[in-house]
Amino acid sequence: LAKTTQPISMDSYEGQEVNITCSHNNIATNDYITWYQQFPSQGPRFIIQGYKTKVTNEVASLFIPADRKSSTLSLPRVSLSDTAVYYCLVGDGGYQKVTFGTGTKLQVIP
Amino acid sequence: GAVVSQHPSWVICKSGTSVKIECRSLDFQATTMFWYRQFPKQSLMLMATSNEGSKATYEQGVEKDKFLINHASLTLSTLTVTSAHPEDSSFYICSARDRQTANYGYTFGSGTRLTVV
């Protein structure tokens, strides 16, 4: 199982773009990179998933370099409601068990 | 999209009693589900992998006789905390993956807040 490393916490002002980087040096060929958002007392919520290069959806972008040993979640123009913990997970999406790293606690400041 | 329903969302029980938590995949079949525990300000810790029709696989350090897991159907897994004690108070979360939607990661339940008094 590829281990992930993320910054423990980040602060950002409202309206700014936030980039959270995750390191996964031991990522396997079949592994995808998935990011989740968790609010207090709620289960994690899927944000975005990618394998390589760039993926964009309505809420975020995911940048993955060619070596895939890291990935960056980009949240455009954050608002106070984006204050949450963000987790990056690596796995092949099969029945492989998923273990969580520390996550990044994002605090959006007015 | 895939939905995982977890019930109850919170429960308070007396020390020494047992509590059952249900995890249901509402619109897909899940042969495998996962159970996590999360203490305040900490990350999710995987407790066990629940396999439909067979025994659960527990992570190291998790007492299988205390945390009973039953996965009797393709849409339901239950976690029973037996003889609960205050130190079992935590946030329990289940997850599953809809294999039909491919590569959409895992869907998590909304969690169950267990308080043992």
Side-chain angles (χ1 to χ4, degrees):
Chain A
L1 296 174
K3 180 180 178 181
T4 60
T5 303
Q6 303 173 232
I8 297 295
S9 64
M10 294 180 68
D11 291 339
S12 175
Y13 288 102
E14 268 192 298
Q16 289 190 331
E17 177 185 77
V18 171
N19 295 310
I20 306 175
T21 297
C22 178
S23 173
H24 28 80
N25 291 318
N26 296 324
I27 189 169
T29 303
N30 294 333
D31 286 343
Y32 282 75
I33 301 154
T34 311
W35 284 79
Y36 293 86
Q37 176 191 56
Q38 186 184 27
F39 296 113
S41 296
Q42 293 187 27
R45 184 177 71 97
F46 172 89
I47 301 175
I48 197 167
Q49 184 182 67
Y51 183 82
K52 61 180 179 181
T53 62
K54 178 184 175 182
V55 179
T56 297
N57 62 21
E58 62 275 10
V59 298
S61 294
L62 178 59
F63 299 92
I64 306 168
D67 66 6
R68 304 202 324 123
K69 293 184 182 298
S70 67
S71 59
T72 299
L73 173 72
S74 181
L75 304 172
R77 297 180 298 281
V78 295
S79 63
L80 295 177
S81 62
D82 293 318
T83 293
V85 178
Y86 292 83
Y87 295 96
C88 124
L89 277 72
V90 174
D92 65 4
Y95 292 134
Q96 177 190 67
K97 61 185 181 182
V98 175
T99 55
F100 283 75
T102 59
T104 298
K105 180 174 173 51
L106 173 65
Q107 181 69 51
V108 180
I109 306 165
Chain B
V3 177
V4 172
S5 174
Q6 194 170 336
H7 179 81
S9 56
W10 60 271
V11 58
I12 301 174
C13 72
K14 291 185 177 181
S15 187
T17 62
S18 295
V19 173
K20 180 184 286 187
I21 302 170
E22 293 187 348
C23 180
R24 294 181 184 272
S25 54
L26 295 188
D27 47 3
F28 66 99
Q29 293 182 336
T31 55
T32 302
M33 292 185 177
F34 302 93
W35 286 95
Y36 295 85
R37 180 168 55 181
Q38 185 175 35
F39 292 107
K41 300 188 185 302
Q42 293 187 22
S43 183
L44 286 75
M45 184 188 77
L46 180 66
M47 298 176 66
T49 302
S50 173
N51 304 299
E52 187 267 335
S54 64
K55 291 183 179 180
T57 304
Y58 292 82
E59 294 300 301
Q60 188 173 8
V62 178
E63 301 174 60
K64 61 181 181 181
D65 294 331
K66 181 169 187 61
F67 299 100
L68 301 180
I69 292 173
N70 184 282
H71 195 150
S73 77
L74 288 172
T75 59
L76 173 64
S77 174
T78 61
L79 168 67
T80 300
V81 183
T82 63
S83 186
H85 291 285
E87 57 265 31
D88 298 323
S89 297
S90 187
F91 191 56
Y92 293 87
I93 308 169
C94 67
S95 76
R97 180 175 178 271
D98 181 4
R99 297 274 286 179
Q100 299 301 316
T101 58
N103 300 331
Y104 274 94
Y106 291 82
T107 302
F108 290 81
S110 55
T112 297
R113 173 75 58 192
L114 170 63
T115 302
V116 184
V117 298

